[in-house]
């Protein structure tokens, strides 16, 4: 009989590619993880891991077992959800990992709504960039993630996750006041190919959006300044340090006196925001109301 606790360890190793990183994510020692994996190999009668450089990768048998691990662990999440519903499930704490503008746009209003409608649900918010919340969710450090699509993100068919699309928003061009293109109703990105750029650090999903948009316009942006804080990005643009692409929601409420904000002509750079839970947990009586509240608040967002 396969111990499902060891399947969780196998999945962590597959996610993190090293025993040490998987152990850190699971709050175990590397030796404990290695012992559990050895026991799992004895239970299955197959070698499940092989060394790959400084890390490990799953063998063919390990990949087969991983597919079933996703199903088993999702079913255990469903079992917990149904038991919680049977027991009432009206009160408890849920940890949500979310990025800053997602918190401001939909999560904070959802918390206010839930405080009125479901006062027994306590939300604990953990600020995380859009590419960090899914690893926190999969490692069990969060119960729900508010995330954005990015290169290398788990796909919609990922067996570990249940995904709820929330909203999509465009990126606008932010130019210094007095910029030659500032009087145009829309800015062609190709006309900014010679400009200095202010952008997010590599790995931030917004960096990927800017990079891809510029590549489609036929050039590589010359990033001179980097910050993951949109207020800092906008301030640098206002100081004449360069140009930037910024999600429209991040500009709301900012002091924009020193910059000009214009839509991008042609194919509009966009980020897509979604909520995710571990598959099977979406029906949990504490999580389902949060997903519903997030969806309602996303539906209230302006579309332009």
């Amino acid at each position: 009989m396969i111990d499902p606790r060891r399947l969780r360890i196998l999945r962590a190793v597959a996610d993190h590619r090293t025993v040490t990183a998987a152990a850190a994510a699971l709050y175990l020692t590397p030796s404990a993880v290695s012992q559990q994996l050895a026991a799992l190999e004895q239970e299955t009668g197959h070698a499940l891991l092989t060394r790959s450089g400084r890390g490990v990768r799953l063998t063919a048998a390990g990949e087969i077992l991983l597919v079933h691990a996703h199903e088993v662990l999702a079913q255990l999440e469903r079992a917990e959800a149904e038991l919680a519903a049977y027991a009432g499930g009206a009160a408890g704490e849920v940890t949500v990992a979310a990025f800053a503008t997602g918190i401001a746009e939909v999560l904070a209003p959802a918390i206010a709504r839930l405080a009125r409608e479901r006062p027994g649900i306590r939300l604990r918010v953990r600020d995380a960039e859009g590419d960090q919340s899914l690893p926190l969710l999969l490692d069990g450090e969060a119960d729900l993630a508010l995330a954005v699509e990015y290169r290398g993100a788990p796909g919609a068919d990922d067996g570990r996750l249940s995904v709820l699309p929330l909203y999509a928003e465009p990126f606008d061009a932010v130019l210094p006041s007095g910029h030659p293109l500032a009087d145009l109703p829309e800015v062609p990105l190709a006309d900014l190919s010679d400009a200095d750029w202010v952008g997010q650090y590599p790995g931030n999903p917004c960096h990927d959006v800017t990079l891809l948009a510029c590549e489609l316009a036929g050039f590589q942006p010359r990033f001179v300044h980097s910050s993951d804080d949109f207020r800092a990005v906008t301030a640098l643009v206002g100081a004449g340090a360069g140009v930037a692409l910024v999600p429209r929601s991040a500009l709301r409420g900012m002091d924009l006196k020193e910059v000009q904000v214009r839509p991008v002509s042609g194919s509009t750079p966009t980020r897509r925001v979604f909520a995710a839970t571990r598959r099977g947990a979406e029906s949990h009586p504490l999580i389902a109301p949060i997903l519903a509240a997030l969806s309602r608040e996303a539906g209230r967002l302006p579309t332009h």
Side-chain angles (χ1 to χ4, degrees):
M1 180 70 70
I2 296 174
D3 187 335
R5 292 173 296 182
R6 292 172 182 147
L7 295 179
R8 196 178 301 278
I9 291 173
L10 178 71
R11 186 162 77 176
V13 172
D15 286 344
H16 293 279
R17 304 293 182 183
T18 71
V19 169
T20 301
L26 296 170
Y27 297 99
L28 297 172
T29 64
S31 61
V33 168
S34 296
Q35 290 170 8
Q36 291 298 314
L37 291 170
L40 185 59
E41 288 183 328
Q42 287 184 338
E43 288 173 345
T44 61
H46 293 278
L48 302 175
L49 297 171
T50 184
R51 292 200 172 277
S52 177
R54 295 184 177 181
V56 294
R57 61 179 176 83
L58 269 61
T59 64
E63 293 288 354
I64 291 171
L65 185 59
L66 182 64
V67 173
H68 291 283
H70 294 333
E71 295 294 332
V72 170
L73 295 173
Q75 191 60 41
L76 288 174
E77 293 279 1
R78 294 188 192 99
E80 289 181 6
E82 290 189 19
L83 287 170
Y86 174 78
E93 183 176 270
V94 176
T95 298
V96 183
F99 60 103
T101 51
I103 293 171
E105 290 295 299
V106 293
L107 182 54
I111 289 174
R113 174 187 290 272
L114 289 164
R116 298 189 302 269
E117 299 177 357
R118 298 293 299 271
I121 299 177
R122 302 183 304 278
L123 275 77
R124 179 172 171 266
V125 178
R126 181 165 178 175
D127 191 344
E129 292 295 339
D131 59 333
Q132 296 172 351
S133 55
L134 291 180
L136 290 172
L137 174 69
L138 292 171
D139 287 344
E141 295 188 45
D143 305 302
L144 192 151
L146 196 61
V148 298
E149 293 181 2
Y150 60 93
R151 295 188 200 190
D157 59 347
D158 192 291
R160 300 168 296 175
L161 299 172
S162 175
V163 171
L164 173 67
L166 291 176
Y167 63 94
E169 65 170 327
F171 281 60
D172 288 324
V174 182
L175 311 173
S177 294
H179 190 280
L181 301 181
D183 292 333
L184 296 179
E186 295 182 337
V187 173
L189 278 186
D191 290 353
L192 298 173
S193 59
D194 292 331
D196 290 339
W197 281 76
V198 185
Q200 290 68 49
Y201 286 102
N204 187 309
C206 292
H207 177 90
D208 288 346
V209 171
T210 299
L211 196 62
L212 179 60
C214 293
E215 288 173 353
L216 291 174
F219 70 97
Q220 289 280 334
R222 184 173 61 248
F223 290 109
V224 176
H225 308 284
S226 299
S227 175
D228 287 335
D229 185 319
F230 292 120
R231 291 186 181 277
V233 169
T234 304
L236 286 167
V237 173
V243 301
L245 290 177
V246 176
R248 188 165 294 172
S249 67
L251 295 168
R252 295 188 190 117
M254 278 195 198
D255 181 356
L256 302 174
K257 291 194 298 291
E258 303 300 326
V259 301
Q260 295 294 322
V261 178
R262 294 290 181 268
V264 174
S265 63
S267 179
T268 304
T270 302
R271 71 171 173 182
R272 291 171 175 81
V273 179
F274 62 91
T277 65
R278 291 181 294 275
R279 192 156 66 94
E282 65 275 11
S283 59
H284 192 286
L286 293 178
I287 292 177
I290 300 173
L291 292 173
L294 289 171
S295 184
R296 287 196 296 270
E297 297 304 330
R300 294 172 178 267
L301 293 178
T303 57
H304 60 276

